Amino acid sequence: KTHLETLGVKVKPGFTWHVGIVSKGKEGALKPEEGRYLVTEDGAWFWGEGVDGARFAFLEYLEKHCGVSWPWGFAIACPNGCRIVPAEGRVVPTVNIRTFRPRPPDVNRWHKRQMMGGHDRPLYGHAYTKYWERFGTTHPEFFAMRKDGRRLPADAKADVLNAAAYEGKRGDSISMCVSSDALVRQTIEDWKAAGAGEYVNVCENDASGQNICHCKACLALDEPPPPGMDPKWPTCYADRYIDFGNRVLAEARKVRPDAKVSFYAYNATQDPPRRVRPADGIVLGIVPVDFRWDSITNYVGAWKRAGLRNFFCRPNRHCYYECPWIPLGNQKHFFKLWKYLYEQGCVGLDDSAAKYKSRYEWLGDYAILRCMRD
């Protein structure tokens, strides 16, 4: 109401706003995140599936029928003036993950106005960051063997040239021994203890390819590095991790037949496997670090040829494109990239936002946010 009054909107006395209240006679089942609205001469009703559904209904009405939008921050765009008009409609978000990583409250509020949210989301995020603290002394077989034969965190700090590198405790970013059957069993036990949800998260810790496990069993799962790969930043170890994910999936489906397993194509596992194919039920989070058109299409195409069926995108774009003081003009490029990913079957985008030091960055993200929404 406050925003509408700011715009000079007037309604007749007795006009009532019903937010989160279903209009009589309009009851019925709702799809995930669906919002519905009914506006008459006497009042307005905005309801939906949960709080987000009601919010989305209100936003959809304002934009579609009143010409109101928020292109950046607190700026309200309403070029033709806002009038409350009778209307009925619905909005059903279809993209499962529509997320830009959190920023200050005013930015988070703006993200909500772009209908950010999600439903039926895969479970992901570095899965084993607490394992060293829990099992470092009792189960060393869970962890990567270094080249010196010791199962300990790497001594070297993260590569300073990797703009997205993790900077937490060394034990949080230790790589895992994915040939270990004991690690598979512990992963399943933790999953069951957490309620045995649809997804088992096995995302590798934020470890570089230099710090993979060098035990004989893990090395036997690898294919030789391809010619021309940077030996200081190897990215060709997906075969061992696909093998691990397939084994976890097989065990999970003994408990829950519809179980799925999710992890990243990131750092050591960036490049697609060359021998082991992902089972149906593996959901991959691609993490591109090169945003040129040919690089993205080759990256996704290669993984799909390797057998990937289901994937989402988790880029660290903010680490590579921070330039608040001049307009980069890359909105069209990122819009085109996201549209391509969606057409390839990508179920969502979990991006890291800019720092919003100027309206150039607001407008750049607005293009992507609107693409996900539409």
Side-chain angles (χ1 to χ4, degrees):
K1 181 178 178 182
T2 302
H3 287 304
L4 295 176
E5 290 173 345
T6 302
L7 295 171
V9 175
K10 296 181 180 180
V11 295
K12 70 178 186 179
F15 188 94
T16 304
W17 301 87
H18 306 83
V19 181
I21 301 173
V22 182
S23 177
K24 187 175 181 180
K26 300 294 182 179
E27 301 84 359
L30 298 166
K31 294 183 178 180
E33 299 187 276
E34 179 178 357
R36 297 185 183 182
Y37 58 86
L38 174 66
V39 180
T40 69
E41 296 291 343
D42 300 314
W45 289 260
F46 303 96
W47 72 97
E49 197 267 329
V51 174
D52 281 344
R55 179 189 296 116
F56 295 163
F58 184 63
L59 292 167
E60 179 76 359
Y61 171 77
L62 281 182
E63 179 163 323
K64 188 173 182 179
H65 299 282
C66 306
V68 176
S69 61
W70 288 270
W72 67 78
F74 298 110
I76 301 175
C78 187
N80 300 314
C82 179
R83 295 181 60 222
I84 303 302
V85 297
E88 182 175 2
R90 63 198 288 254
V91 56
V92 183
T94 57
V95 178
N96 297 57
I97 307 171
R98 308 180 312 283
T99 308
F100 271 31
R101 288 298 172 109
R103 291 296 178 188
D106 58 327
V107 178
N108 290 338
R109 191 178 303 115
W110 181 66
H111 286 168
K112 288 182 179 294
R113 289 172 180 162
Q114 312 310 321
M115 294 192 188
M116 293 297 93
H119 59 275
D120 302 329
R121 298 166 60 110
L123 181 65
Y124 57 94
H126 302 298
Y128 299 103
T129 57
K130 302 303 180 185
Y131 264 44
W132 182 253
E133 182 180 338
R134 293 173 62 192
F135 304 114
T137 57
T138 57
H139 289 282
E141 71 274 17
F142 291 171
F143 304 98
M145 178 183 290
R146 304 189 313 194
K147 289 183 179 180
D148 63 5
R150 305 175 71 189
R151 295 183 185 270
L152 293 171
D155 289 330
K157 294 182 179 180
D159 191 328
V160 296
L161 296 179
N162 178 13
Y166 178 73
E167 297 178 351
K169 298 177 183 178
R170 286 182 298 162
D172 290 355
S173 57
I174 189 172
S175 189
M176 308 304 292
C177 180
V178 293
S179 64
S180 168
D181 289 333
L183 179 61
V184 172
R185 290 193 294 270
Q186 187 62 54
T187 299
I188 293 297
E189 288 303 313
D190 286 349
W191 170 66
K192 290 193 294 186
E198 182 180 1
Y199 285 92
V200 186
N201 175 19
V202 300
C203 289
E204 173 68 297
N205 290 338
D206 207 340
S208 64
Q210 300 99 315
N211 298 317
I212 60 159
C213 182
H214 288 81
C215 78
K216 291 182 179 180
C218 280
L219 292 174
L221 297 172
D222 298 332
E223 291 292 294
M229 188 183 71
D230 183 356
K232 295 181 179 180
W233 197 257
T235 56
C236 61
Y237 297 110
D239 279 279
R240 64 166 65 185
Y241 221 83
I242 292 292
D243 178 84
F244 175 61
N246 287 348
R247 285 158 48 220
V248 171
L249 180 64
E251 292 301 313
R253 287 193 165 173
K254 294 177 183 178
V255 178
R256 179 170 175 160
D258 65 341
K260 299 180 179 66
V261 166
S262 55
F263 57 92
Y264 293 141
Y266 178 48
N267 280 349
T269 58
Q270 174 184 300
D271 302 334
R274 285 173 284 166
R275 176 170 46 87
V276 183
R277 295 180 69 83
D280 185 19
I282 296 293
V283 180
L284 193 77
I286 64 170
V287 187
V289 295
D290 185 335
F291 295 90
R292 290 172 292 182
W293 176 257
D294 288 347
S295 296
I296 293 291
T297 55
N298 290 338
Y299 178 38
V300 174
W303 268 100
K304 295 192 75 171
R305 288 191 296 274
L308 180 67
R309 298 176 181 84
N310 304 300
F311 72 102
F312 59 94
C313 188
R314 170 67 187 100
N316 289 308
R317 185 175 55 86
H318 69 299
C319 296
Y320 305 94
Y321 297 93
E322 274 193 21
C323 188
W325 313 122
I326 59 173
L328 294 178
N330 56 19
Q331 294 94 328
K332 185 175 182 179
H333 178 74
F334 281 110
F335 185 99
K336 181 181 177 182
L337 286 180
W338 165 242
K339 188 167 182 282
Y340 162 78
L341 292 173
Y342 181 72
E343 291 168 348
Q344 294 300 308
C346 183
V347 300
L349 179 66
D350 183 7
D351 207 338
S352 289
K355 293 182 179 178
Y356 302 110
K357 295 178 180 177
S358 76
R359 65 183 57 179
Y360 299 132
E361 291 184 323
W362 292 100
L363 289 172
D365 281 359
Y366 183 65
I368 306 174
L369 292 164
R370 287 310 307 264
C371 190
M372 284 194 286
R373 171 177 168 177
D374 295 344

